[in-house]
Amino acid sequence: MKIGIYGGSFNPPHLGHQNAAVEAAEKCALDKLLLIPAGIPPHKVMEQGSPANGHRLAMTRLMGGQAALQSGVEVEVLDLEMAREGKSYTVDTLRALRRQYPDDELLLFMGTDMFFSFESWRAPEEIAELAKIVAFYRNEDDSAAAFAAQAEKLRARFGGSFETLALDRVIEVSSTALRAGMASGASEAMLEPQVYGYILREHLYGTDLDLKRLTVQQLRPIALSYLKAKRCAHVLGTAATAVKLAEKYGADVHRAEVAGLLHDCTKKLSMPEQLALCEKYGIALDELEKKALKLLHAKTGAALARDVFGVDDEIYNAILWHTTGKPDMTVLEKVIYLADFIEPTRDFPGVDALRRTVWEDLDRGLLMGLEMTVEEMEEMGNPIHVNTLAARDYLKGKTNEGKAGSGQQL
Ligand code: DGI
Ligand code: FE
Ligand code: FE
């Protein structure tokens, strides 16, 4: 395997790191990229008031998830430097990785500052034995010659492999400036939305939002920070579709957007994590729910949205019923159920027919969606939740009544 190693303070991980990671992973044709946030960086002091290790780790995971999505390369975030006592020397990290990957090709990535100070690192010869060094530089800069000369010099002095890699999408970001501009909102543009949302959610770097009084613009990245990278497009699509459906069918547009943004906020949690939230929020579960992980996130998501963001009962209920539906749903509940089903990234047999029907008639669309769910569950041999069946039967009754009614008039 070809494994890239990219370390740093990641305080915070920003688009400069992310773009470099994506482009390097692609250009080096990596099988895997390891992101390693430093515990105590050896070469500089971590600024006072910097977030705890756990927060830097969580932010790096969010950035890494996006880098994996964009590059198609597996990304793993390791806490081995944070878990180690004392300063985070690269040579110690490489020794550990070499033990773990004895036969694989290890590429150690570094930026300009690191590359030009390499001789002053701890045990540079050993580093050069343990991994191939790859130094990034900006393609548009006139630095190819200087980088080539430095690589030549390091090769002559330490042996081993020193390569340079021109990147097209490098953006220079000063982490110091980013931290300073966080509270004013000036840094948002240089951060992956999921990372920015995490910072706002955890009140890091001097930000201090009241999570119960957010504008929808503030809520958007915060909602994304709860998700796996690949789910972000779905949630944004659901919120946007919910807004349009709410406009057409007369639900509250703001509530539709908020419920759309938060509807899957606990989706990535494991069964034990879901059960812990059920315990925390006093959520009762029936026998099926105790076994069906996919049914739990609607209940825990609604509870979290109310607890953390103070959403009202209408939004709470729209999230609560978004997976199964139920008899006699409110317009907002139908809107969220269906926006989730037909948002633009959804792709399954029949989705276009469902989209057409939803835009023609909300209840006929809802019945069609419920019937598709029942059919899918039957095909997969999954037990169908009573609420799904009851929602379908309720609507069937209503539609039949409608048909009977119009039949009589003829
Ligand atoms: O969270 P999403 O994937 O965006 O969508 P969702 O909340 O509608 O969840 C869909 C999943 O929930 C899908 O994998 C099927 C499952 N599901 C929905 N209704 C039922 C159900 N699973 C069971 N066992 N029974 C149901 O009635
Ligand atoms: Fe869901
Ligand atoms: Fe969803």
Side-chain angles (χ1 to χ4, degrees), residues 93-354:
T93 303
L94 287 179
R95 281 183 197 141
L97 292 176
R98 191 37 92 193
R99 274 196 296 279
Q100 195 183 341
Y101 298 104
D103 302 316
D104 296 292
E105 185 177 352
L106 300 180
L107 303 184
L108 178 67
F109 294 136
M110 60 184 70
T112 309
D113 294 350
M114 304 281 98
F115 188 50
F116 284 89
S117 65
F118 186 78
E119 290 167 285
S120 67
W121 288 23
R122 170 167 294 199
E125 308 84 352
E126 193 181 343
I127 293 176
E129 260 168 51
L130 288 163
K132 297 179 175 177
I133 313 299
V134 176
F136 302 150
Y137 67 97
R138 273 158 62 105
N139 209 5
E140 67 250 49
D141 287 356
D142 226 3
S143 40
F147 271 74
Q150 174 71 0
E152 188 58 49
K153 181 172 142 195
L154 294 176
R155 239 179 262 131
R157 172 132 183 227
F158 300 115
S161 167
F162 290 84
E163 298 296 332
T164 64
L165 181 66
L167 297 182
D168 303 314
R169 278 175 282 145
V170 173
I171 40 175
E172 291 296 335
V173 182
S174 150
S175 296
T176 312
L178 262 193
R179 292 192 291 269
M182 204 67 79
S184 72
S187 301
E188 179 173 8
M190 298 311 244
L191 295 163
E192 165 58 40
Q194 287 197 282
V195 173
Y196 185 60
Y198 184 91
I199 289 168
L200 296 182
R201 192 224 294 185
E202 298 295 335
H203 313 293
L204 306 180
Y205 302 109
T207 62
D208 149 37
L209 287 183
D210 179 351
L211 298 184
K212 293 196 163 66
R213 289 188 169 65
L214 297 175
T215 65
V216 76
Q217 282 71 24
Q218 292 165 334
L219 177 63
R220 194 170 293 122
I222 292 176
L224 296 180
S225 76
Y226 285 89
L227 307 173
K228 285 189 179 161
K230 65 175 186 321
R231 189 161 284 275
C232 290
H234 161 68
V235 162
L236 292 175
T238 302
T241 305
V243 165
K244 289 191 225 156
L245 286 173
E247 282 165 353
K248 173 160 168 104
Y249 289 113
D252 185 279
V253 171
H254 175 74
R255 287 192 176 92
E257 188 162 14
V258 170
L261 288 171
L262 290 173
H263 82 283
D264 278 339
C265 66
T266 57
K267 182 81 179 186
K268 81 168 176 189
L269 302 184
S270 65
M271 197 62 173
E273 291 169 325
Q274 295 287 358
L275 294 177
L277 274 189
C278 290
E279 180 87 27
K280 172 176 174 184
Y281 292 124
I283 297 169
L285 299 175
D286 60 35
E287 285 311 308
L288 174 52
E289 286 165 342
K290 281 180 193 156
K291 287 177 289 183
L293 177 61
K294 285 179 174 167
L295 295 175
L296 292 187
H297 77 285
K299 292 191 145 182
T300 54
L304 186 144
R306 182 157 68 189
D307 178 39
V308 176
F309 302 105
V311 302
D312 61 25
D313 288 351
E314 289 173 60
I315 295 172
Y316 173 88
N317 283 315
I319 300 172
L320 183 63
W321 302 113
H322 89 266
T323 302
T324 60
K326 64 155 189 166
D328 201 13
M329 293 164 79
T330 65
V331 179
L332 185 68
E333 288 160 5
K334 294 173 186 174
V335 159
I336 296 303
Y337 182 92
L338 288 169
D340 185 29
F341 226 127
I342 64 166
E343 57 83 16
T345 74
R346 289 286 196 205
D347 188 16
F348 54 85
V351 69
D352 284 324
L354 179 62

Side-chain angles (χ1 to χ4, degrees), residues 322-397:
H322 89 266
T323 302
T324 60
K326 64 155 189 166
D328 201 13
M329 293 164 79
T330 65
V331 179
L332 185 68
E333 288 160 5
K334 294 173 186 174
V335 159
I336 296 303
Y337 182 92
L338 288 169
D340 185 29
F341 226 127
I342 64 166
E343 57 83 16
T345 74
R346 289 286 196 205
D347 188 16
F348 54 85
V351 69
D352 284 324
L354 179 62
R355 285 188 181 116
R356 271 197 302 280
T357 309
V358 169
W359 288 108
E360 278 163 22
D361 184 293
L362 194 63
D363 277 347
R364 277 205 296 120
L366 183 58
L367 178 56
M368 193 170 171
L370 287 161
E371 282 176 331
M372 286 171 115
T373 300
V374 170
E375 199 178 319
E376 196 203 338
M377 294 295 109
E378 280 171 347
E379 273 170 18
M380 292 170 44
N382 287 345
I384 303 163
H385 195 268
V386 285
N387 290 336
T388 308
L389 292 171
R392 181 198 62 179
D393 294 343
Y394 175 88
L395 271 172
K396 254 187 171 167

Side-chain angles (χ1 to χ4, degrees), residues 73-85:
V73 172
E74 183 195 343
V75 175
E76 222 179 288
V77 179
L78 301 183
D79 70 350
L80 84 167
E81 292 196 352
M82 289 179 161
R84 220 162 48 213
E85 296 276 314

